[in-house]
Amino acid sequence: MTTRRDSLLRLAAAALPVLPLLPARAAERPLRLVATEFPPYTGSALPGGGVACEVTRAALRQAGREMELSFRPWARALLEFQRGDHDGVIGTWRSEERERTMRFPPPLGIVNQVGFMARTDRRRRIDDLGALAGLRIGVVHGYVNPPRFDAANLSVEGAVDDLANLRKLLAGRVDLVLIDKGVGAHLLETQLREAAGRLSWLDPAVSEIPLYTVFSKVRPEGERFAAALSRGVSELQGTGRLAALLHQGARWQ
């Protein structure tokens, strides 16, 4: 038997608005990340954007986040990052100045090894930089060289880029070239294939610098983004996927 109270309850329920079912948690937007042209570490023409971008993407995905990637000249990338156009920068070296505004999670596992390449038929020991006095060493105009190299006060000859320096080395116009090991390997695999056996990397490196993906230290979400990347990198290490990515994308390490 339907009572007057039951009828009123049914009328009240019918009058309530029908609300759509919402997910337990709205999907988080992809992180906006920026990098510059620094092959083989980062580059718009490289698979996945280069090894540093691939590691960053895999680590974030491991932590449940996606990313959108843009490429800019380095100075513009930093400017846009500082004004908030991007959430993070892929492929950054750590310094006291940058730590004022950038949040550094653990490094990506990629190390920039800066040192010497020589002609294979003229290899030499480079442990003692002082013993290289009198040699002609090719450097790139505008590059910041390792402090240990600058302190040795060696004779240097500038070039417009690393490719020009390696060509000078092949021609015998310089005795050594100061270069990032990965950059040298990439150039020998791409633009100097015919000379790959004629140039060699010399151990040990003059300087080894870890590569980072950084986030903002002044915006509140930067801490959360850095924590996600840190967690993802740690999990990639634990599963062995990080080693596999580095073996594939940074074979020179």
Side-chain angles (χ1 to χ4, degrees):
M1 178 177 179
T2 302
T3 65
R4 182 171 180 274
R5 180 174 176 276
D6 294 332
S7 299
L8 291 173
L9 288 174
R10 282 197 296 271
L11 287 171
L16 292 173
V18 178
L19 299 176
L21 293 176
L22 297 175
R25 183 179 183 182
E28 295 183 294
R29 67 166 177 81
L31 274 64
R32 300 181 302 268
L33 301 183
V34 66
T36 196
E37 299 291 343
F38 184 31
Y41 303 102
T42 57
S44 56
L46 299 173
V51 60
C53 297
E54 289 192 297
V55 170
T56 300
R57 183 182 294 106
L60 289 173
R61 188 166 290 168
Q62 187 73 26
R65 299 301 299 258
E66 297 295 330
M67 72 179 222
E68 296 174 350
L69 180 60
S70 303
F71 284 90
R72 301 282 191 274
W74 183 242
R76 182 179 169 190
L78 293 180
L79 175 64
E80 292 181 352
F81 168 71
Q82 297 294 356
R83 74 185 185 195
D85 296 349
H86 309 288
D87 296 312
V89 183
I90 300 176
T92 305
W93 289 356
R94 191 167 194 160
S95 70
E96 290 186 8
E97 179 182 358
R98 289 177 179 170
E99 285 181 347
R100 297 189 185 103
T101 57
M102 294 178 175
R103 189 176 299 277
F104 284 80
L108 300 173
I110 304 163
V111 178
N112 288 121
Q113 300 175 67
V114 180
F116 296 112
M117 293 194 76
R119 283 177 46 168
T120 302
D121 61 352
R122 297 181 184 176
R123 295 172 61 92
R124 65 184 74 239
R125 291 182 61 88
I126 46 87
D127 310 65
D128 179 10
L129 295 185
L132 305 181
L135 298 182
R136 299 161 299 169
I137 300 176
V139 298
V140 177
H141 290 302
Y143 278 16
V144 176
N145 298 319
R148 178 169 166 252
F149 176 83
D150 286 339
N153 197 28
L154 300 173
S155 176
V156 300
E157 293 189 16
V160 295
D161 57 27
D162 290 301
L163 179 60
N165 254 339
L166 292 182
R167 285 177 170 156
K168 288 172 67 175
L169 182 61
L170 286 166
R173 293 167 55 195
V174 294
D175 301 300
L176 296 171
V177 161
L178 186 71
I179 194 170
D180 178 279
K181 185 177 183 181
V183 171
H186 178 73
L187 290 173
L188 291 176
E189 290 177 358
T190 54
Q191 300 185 62
L192 292 174
R193 290 182 182 178
E194 74 286 351
R198 296 170 57 196
L199 297 180
S200 298
W201 169 262
L202 303 180
D203 283 319
V206 176
S207 177
E208 295 188 348
I209 309 169
L211 205 59
Y212 294 83
T213 290
V214 301
F215 302 95
S216 175
K217 201 170 188 177
V218 298
R219 293 191 295 276
E221 66 271 20
E223 183 175 4
R224 180 161 50 92
F225 296 158
L229 182 67
S230 178
R231 183 169 69 254
V233 168
S234 178
E235 292 179 6
L236 289 180
Q237 288 176 323
T239 61
R241 286 190 60 209
L242 180 59
L245 286 169
L246 295 177
H247 177 75
Q248 179 180 359
R251 297 179 299 277
W252 58 87
Q253 286 199 167

